[in-house]
Amino acid sequence: MRSIAAWLTLALLTAFPVYSQPAETARDLEIQNDWVDFGSVAGDATRMGWVPDGSGRLFVTTMRGKVLVVMNGVLQPTPFISESFTQGHEQQGLLGMAFDPDFANNHYVYFFAAMPGFTLQIFRYTDVGGVGVNRTVIVDGLQAGVLDFDGGGMTFGPDGMLYFGVGNLHGSKGEDDLTSAAGKIHRVRPDGTVPSDNPFHDGPGPNVDSIWARGFCNLYGLVFQPGTGRLWANASSPDTIQVFSVGPGDHGGWPHYNYDRPAGYLSPVFSYIANTEFGPFTPTGAVRQNGVATFTLQYYDISSAWYHKGTRVQIQDVEDPSFNGDFYVTGHPSPQSFTVDQPEPDAVSGGGQLKRWVDGEFVMGGMFYTGSLFPSSYSGNYLFTDFRGMLHRIRFAADGSVATEDIIMNYETGGGFVDVNVGPDGALYVLSYYGGINRVTPVPGGQALVVSSSDLVIPEGETQTVMVSLAMPPAVDVWVKVAVQGADGDLSVVEGESLRFTRENWSVPQFVTLGAAQDADADVEHATFTFTPTQDFPMVTVHARTEEDEVPEEPVNDGGVDGGAEVDAGTVEDAGTSEDAGTLEDAGTSEDAGTVEDAGTSEDAGTQVDAGAVVDAGSAKDGGTVPVHMEDESGGCSAGASALPGVLAWWLLAGLVRRPRRSRR
């Protein structure tokens, strides 16, 4: 990757227009800018790697030939090696670096370089006392290009072999030609000899025996995926930027195929182009069924190869606005259609278009995260850099396919990111070609659901309201599904089973109404309500129980003077005698308590409405089996309704006062 600044900055940035990327650096990350600032010492950094001996040393290669040493964030005065390369039209320099798997014993460090005379070379040094000695050439004599595209990706495989990528050498078009090293991934032993089990090995024949896979324009990043044995290769061309998962003998299609590939060619697991993409839908191109929305593109020059599974897209201007928003592509029913998850009612609509934001312009180094500092959702994720100034994150589905792809660090357009690595502390370290390293750590807590209550008491026949929001803006639209477990139907979600949060409404509380059914028993029911987001941050659990209004029956002659039970307040001794409700002094006139209409009927003295009822004299709400003040304490409807404006005001005020930390540049 010679003269990156000259070629990338001039050629790429002038060839493609600059577009605004709406995604900021992820708000669940904290960035320590210029953790190391090399200044003028290394304005041409290309690679970095932690020395695998527990010393805490970080090696940084430069185009001009020095390998700098960093300890505890401090640049050391003595470089590991000091090769000398001329910068200019010849475009010489260090392009790759790898540590021997047996470094603890042999102390070997390997380097890939573009040498004077337009040749490529791999050589190694031995680490002795922190300084490289005994320069030994491993691979020599490979043709190099005049303008970049020399490759530079290099790594050791689980088989102990050394793998390295050679670019197309400035348009040599040798990607199909097995007699040329150009556009190929190569495999050799650590001493440079070629194993005979390479897929194109023909001994004395014309093939370049080290070829392991072919059909790639420029190979800058190579890394093996843990547990799969698959080699991931970052390949860029003037037309597309692609990430491949490669096996022996695979053909990536270059230069014949950039987008769609016929059978027999290897398709990328992810790709993008250095432009913003638009694509209108057909007149009835938006169809949603069973929570899955299918969009069909109107023009056949945009196919599914432009928006692989996991690609983040924006749906705009569909006549039914419930289709619009930011989503991840989940599949491709046809070459001209794609699907996204939308847990909404079935619908059909017209109008609208797809929009895909620019993801970068030249893919560089990559790695699989195996540290423990970040949340478990990062484990096994593929992270890779783009020279435009972006750090990408790929997450995987259960079947190993790409589930989502996000830009988690965005310093466009001047970032110059060339490599990413995980440190001994589990943090991410991102290297800039322009001479700096940024340290990336997770914000404690990160993205989360904010739910107003985790423990509820709901009176029978009544409801309680829970408010829900997000802790920070989401990358794509997030649905929260609310479900209940337990209580045999006595506790349920009355309203708000599905909530939708976007980058616009993430902090505005949405309401979920939970209810308790009226039943005939006095048993307290318990249930768990789960609030589950459609993205990979934790669900929230709310526990709820019923407050029963049934009370045990008491004997007829027990406590009658209190009027506390239904069988008591309706007897002659209590509400039906002349002494109590039947006298002239109290309610004893024929108009009041002595007539059928008043005191002797169910409508006055003997009913629930007046003297003997659960609602009036014998209920939890009035007559005293449960104190009146407990209605407010239990959060009944009357208390909840009167308190809601204050709660909401506090909630919104808290949203204004408390904001999650974000990256500062």
Side-chain angles (χ1 to χ4, degrees):
M1 190 65 203
R2 294 180 296 168
S3 189
I4 297 176
W7 192 85
L8 282 175
T9 305
L10 178 61
L12 274 176
L13 294 183
T14 57
F16 301 113
V18 176
Y19 292 93
S20 174
Q21 170 71 15
E24 299 179 0
T25 293
R27 296 181 183 232
D28 58 353
L29 300 180
E30 289 186 325
I31 314 298
Q32 183 180 349
N33 291 307
D34 294 330
W35 176 72
V36 177
D37 185 357
F38 300 112
S40 60
V41 177
D44 56 353
T46 55
R47 298 286 180 176
M48 67 176 174
W50 299 88
V51 182
D53 62 354
S55 65
R57 292 177 296 162
L58 177 65
F59 283 1
V60 178
T61 63
T62 67
M63 291 290 290
R64 284 172 285 187
K66 286 187 176 182
V67 176
L68 307 176
V69 181
V70 176
M71 283 280 290
N72 299 319
V74 178
L75 178 64
Q76 302 302 296
T78 304
F80 178 69
I81 63 172
S82 293
E83 297 259 335
S84 180
F85 294 101
T86 301
Q87 298 302 294
H89 182 68
E90 300 83 6
Q91 298 180 20
Q92 304 166 15
L94 295 178
L95 305 177
M97 177 176 64
F99 295 96
D100 194 287
D102 195 27
F103 180 87
N105 294 315
N106 59 33
H107 308 293
Y108 291 159
V109 188
Y110 296 76
F111 299 95
F112 186 118
M115 304 298 294
F118 306 115
T119 61
L120 301 176
Q121 188 179 92
I122 296 176
F123 51 85
R124 77 182 181 212
Y125 277 86
T126 303
D127 179 15
V128 177
V131 177
V133 299
N134 300 328
R135 187 183 194 275
T136 304
V137 176
I138 303 301
V139 177
D140 198 9
L142 297 176
Q143 178 191 3
V146 177
L147 283 174
D148 209 320
F149 289 103
D150 289 337
M154 186 167 64
T155 188
F156 278 92
D159 57 359
M161 300 296 176
L162 180 63
Y163 294 75
F164 60 92
V166 176
N168 79 340
L169 308 178
H170 191 46
S172 68
K173 303 298 182 184
E175 294 80 357
D176 271 335
D177 184 2
L178 293 175
T179 66
S180 168
K184 314 293 196 307
I185 297 173
H186 298 259
R187 175 179 178 258
V188 299
R189 296 187 182 96
D191 62 2
T193 59
V194 179
S196 59
D197 60 350
N198 277 355
F200 303 106
H201 188 283
D202 64 352
N207 291 353
V208 176
D209 290 339
S210 60
I211 295 173
W212 187 76
R214 57 180 168 159
F216 307 97
C217 183
N218 193 32
L219 293 154
Y220 193 76
L222 294 181
V223 62
F224 277 89
Q225 183 177 20
T228 68
R230 299 287 292 183
L231 177 64
W232 280 55
N234 295 343
S236 296
S237 75
D239 298 310
T240 57
I241 304 100
Q242 300 173 327
V243 178
F244 292 89
S245 176
V246 189
D250 282 343
H251 195 313
W254 177 266
H256 307 295
Y257 306 105
N258 283 316
Y259 305 107
D260 295 311
R261 290 166 171 78
Y265 290 88
L266 179 67
S267 293
V269 295
F270 191 76
S271 67
Y272 52 100
I273 64 175
N275 275 304
T276 298
E277 303 168 7
F278 293 89
F281 302 131
T282 60
T284 56
V287 178
R288 186 168 55 235
Q289 188 173 14
N290 298 325
V292 176
T294 302
F295 298 91
T296 303
L297 292 161
Q298 186 170 356
Y299 301 122
Y300 286 85
D301 59 345
I302 301 178
S303 70
S304 61
W306 289 38
Y307 42 93
H308 287 270
K309 182 175 180 289
T311 300
R312 186 168 57 89
V313 296
Q314 186 175 92
I315 308 300
Q316 302 177 335
D317 305 325
V318 178
E319 294 172 4
D320 180 345
S322 69
F323 283 95
N324 297 325
D326 294 89
F327 310 98
Y328 295 110
V329 173
T330 57
H332 300 88
S334 75
Q336 297 306 124
S337 63
F338 64 93
T339 58
V340 303
D341 288 335
Q342 285 191 354
E344 302 270 3
D346 293 357
V348 177
S349 186
Q353 63 178 346
L354 168 149
K355 183 176 183 179
R356 179 179 176 180
W357 300 95
V358 58
D359 284 340
E361 57 207 3
F362 208 96
V363 62
M364 308 299 283
M367 57 158 283
F368 288 92
Y369 186 78
T370 57
S372 59
L373 179 63
F374 280 73
S376 59
S377 59
Y378 273 79
S379 180
N381 290 182
Y382 184 59
L383 307 174
F384 63 93
T385 54
D386 187 281
F387 190 81
R388 189 180 180 95
M390 298 169 177
L391 176 62
H392 294 250
R393 175 190 180 193
I394 286 179
R395 287 169 280 182
F396 299 97
D399 62 0
S401 64
V402 174
T404 63
E405 187 275 342
D406 290 290
I407 295 172
I408 61 173
M409 185 176 175
N410 189 358
Y411 279 23
E412 67 166 346
T413 57
F417 293 164
V418 292
D419 207 2
V420 58
N421 214 311
V422 60
D425 57 355
L428 296 174
Y429 292 83
V430 180
L431 176 66
S432 170
Y433 173 82
Y434 301 116
I437 300 176
N438 299 315
R439 182 175 184 267
V440 185
T441 55
V443 171
Q447 180 64 288
L449 290 176
V450 181
V451 180
S452 61
S453 179
S454 61
D455 197 1
L456 295 174
V457 178
I458 308 177
E460 279 193 351
E462 299 187 13
T463 61
Q464 287 275 37
T465 299
V466 175
M467 293 184 287
V468 184
S469 63
L470 299 186
M472 58 186 64
V476 299
D477 290 13
V478 173
W479 274 269
V480 177
K481 307 298 289 184
V482 186
V484 61
Q485 297 175 344
D488 296 327
D490 284 352
L491 288 163
S492 64
V493 182
V494 177
E495 188 174 0
E497 289 182 319
S498 179
L499 312 175
R500 182 178 182 179
F501 293 96
T502 68
R503 287 200 296 265
E504 287 72 37
N505 75 346
W506 62 274
S507 62
V508 179
Q510 298 188 42
F511 299 90
V512 178
T513 303
L514 310 178
Q518 185 79 51
D519 60 20
D521 60 52
D523 297 331
V524 175
E525 305 291 345
H526 295 265
T528 297
F529 291 90
T530 55
F531 294 68
T532 306
T534 53
Q535 301 307 321
D536 69 339
F537 52 94
M539 73 175 187
V540 171
T541 299
V542 173
H543 300 281
R545 63 180 175 86
T546 60
E547 179 183 274
E548 301 294 315
D549 57 7
E550 288 79 17
V551 294
E553 290 189 354
E554 298 179 356
V556 172
N557 60 350
D558 183 18
V561 295
D562 292 331
E566 188 173 17
V567 296
D568 185 32
T571 62
V572 174
E573 291 81 358
D574 186 12
T577 64
S578 60
E579 290 82 0
D580 183 12
T583 63
L584 292 176
E585 291 80 2
D586 183 9
T589 63
S590 60
E591 291 81 4
D592 185 14
T595 64
V596 174
E597 291 83 355
D598 189 20
T601 68
S602 63
E603 298 189 34
D604 187 18
T607 69
Q608 294 181 348
V609 178
D610 189 0
V614 172
V615 177
D616 188 16
S619 73
K621 292 191 173 289
D622 190 9
T625 57
V626 178
V628 174
H629 65 83
M630 284 191 66
E631 180 178 65
D632 292 332
E633 291 182 4
S634 65
C637 283
S638 60
S642 62
L644 184 58
V647 172
L648 183 56
W650 172 87
W651 188 284
L652 296 177
L653 179 60
L656 293 174
V657 174
R658 181 186 177 275
R659 286 288 186 233
R661 288 175 288 177
R662 54 166 296 176
S663 307
R664 293 180 174 85
R665 294 180 51 183

